[in-house]
Each structure stands twice: as C-alpha cells, then as structure tokens.
Amino acid sequence: MPDEIQVGDVVQMRKTHACGADRWRVYRVGADMGARCLGCGRRIMLPRRKFERAVKRIVRDAND
Ligand SMILES: [Zn+2]
C-alpha cells in the first residue's frame, strides 16, 4: 500500500468496477473507508484493511 489515503483522494482499484471504471473518490477515512465510483457514482464502505488491499495506487493531481 502506497501512502496514507485522505478524504478527497482518487484511488485506482486493482479490480475494475461493474460499470467499467477503476477510480474512486474517497469520502470517508477511519476504521471504515468510504469511496464513490467515478464511473457510476455508487458508494461503497469497506473496513480499512480490506480497502487498502483493494487499492492499486492513489491518483494524485501531480501524476495525472
Ligand atoms: Zn462504478
């Protein structure tokens, strides 16, 4: 897992979502992590460890 994930970060997931997008915007961090799919707008909540394992990388404005 790369860096600390913060609210507002866009993360790229290892798996593509059902809608075809693989990027999510984080809207909540803590014991549970919340993110909204940039493709279809669906929101998910996952326990932090599970979420961090699912993340491939954090997409920062500087790189993208
Ligand atoms: Zn989606």
Side-chain angles (χ1 to χ4, degrees), residues 5 8 19 22 25 27-28 31-32 36 44-47 51 53-54 56 59:
I5 299 171
C19 70
D22 64 355
R25 181 165 312 266
Y27 68 85
R28 180 194 159 130
D32 289 320
R36 188 168 58 81
I44 56 158
M45 270 286 233
L46 289 174
F51 186 88
R53 275 203 303 271
K56 187 173 180 184
V59 182

Side-chain angles (χ1 to χ4, degrees), residues 1-5 10-12 14 51-60:
M1 187 48 219
D3 302 316
E4 187 84 9
I5 299 171
V10 173
V11 293
Q12 183 177 5
R14 295 183 190 283
F51 186 88
E52 288 181 343
R53 275 203 303 271
V55 169
K56 187 173 180 184
R57 68 190 184 98
I58 302 172
V59 182
R60 290 264 153 80

Side-chain angles (χ1 to χ4, degrees), residues 9-46:
D9 280 345
V10 173
V11 293
Q12 183 177 5
M13 295 300 201
R14 295 183 190 283
K15 284 189 183 175
T16 313
H17 193 218
C19 70
D22 64 355
R23 295 185 181 199
W24 299 69
R25 181 165 312 266
V26 177
Y27 68 85
R28 180 194 159 130
V29 295
D32 289 320
M33 307 287 280
R36 188 168 58 81
C37 178
L38 293 185
C40 64
R42 179 163 175 190
R43 287 169 183 256
I44 56 158
M45 270 286 233
L46 289 174

